[in-house]
Amino acid sequence: MIVALDHIAIAVPDLEKSIKRFMDDFGLKYEGSEDVVAAKTSTAFFPLEQTSIELVHPLNGEGPIAAFLEKKGPGLHHLCFRSDDLDADIARLTEKGYVFLGEPKIGAHNCRVIFIHPKSCDGVLIELNQPSEDGH
Ligand code: CO
């Protein structure tokens, strides 16, 4: 079951500049950065009540975020819904015809994550995540 909007991710070409904007200009609490090496992505999180803003930036200048920025430029990258049973939701949605991008992987915050193909969701990339048992 989907239980929350976990975060909204924005693809940014200059991570430090964007971190300063959200921290200094907008006054949000900066939780910290995390490189998700397997996804070739650097992330920075700004938790808000019930959700977070996630900045995503190419790790070492390569990977899916580099391709996204080159093709589409900076902007909204994906929505992430939190699941309390990722495997059950994958099975349920697959049965309804949703197409997933690969298998579940470990993402930021040590969550199990999987992405639904944008073609299945009106052009929006949707991530589902399930926090690990020991939390963040
Ligand atoms: Co995300």
Side-chain angles (χ1 to χ4, degrees):
M1 192 173 72
I2 288 171
V3 293
L5 177 63
D6 191 90
H7 60 263
I8 293 167
I10 302 166
V12 300
D14 185 334
L15 187 58
E16 291 309 314
K17 187 178 161 193
S18 295
I19 288 171
K20 284 200 174 73
R21 170 179 300 122
F22 278 89
M23 198 166 52
D24 299 337
D25 302 345
F26 296 169
L28 298 193
K29 184 175 164 281
Y30 172 49
E31 182 190 79
S33 293
E34 178 183 347
D35 290 344
V36 184
V37 175
K40 296 181 176 171
T41 300
S42 298
T43 70
F45 279 89
F46 300 85
L48 292 164
E49 263 329 281
Q50 301 297 329
T51 193
S52 291
I53 302 292
E54 176 187 26
L55 304 179
V56 289
H57 177 78
L59 177 61
N60 301 321
E62 57 177 9
I65 308 303
F68 179 93
L69 287 170
E70 195 169 307
K71 195 170 159 197
K72 300 187 172 174
L76 190 63
H77 185 258
H78 64 270
L79 303 186
C80 177
F81 291 109
R82 190 179 309 149
S83 168
D84 62 359
D85 188 340
L86 191 65
D87 293 318
D89 281 325
I90 292 167
R92 187 173 57 81
L93 293 170
T94 299
E95 202 165 290
K96 288 175 182 285
Y98 284 80
V99 175
F100 287 85
L101 298 170
E103 299 293 315
K105 295 184 173 70
I106 299 302
H109 293 144
N110 214 28
C111 290
R112 282 181 77 220
V113 308
I114 193 164
F115 287 88
I116 304 173
H117 197 291
K119 281 182 182 157
S120 295
C121 301
D122 296 318
V124 178
L125 182 61
I126 303 277
E127 176 184 9
L128 302 178
N129 78 1
Q130 182 174 14
S132 59
E133 297 301 314
D134 52 7
H136 280 16

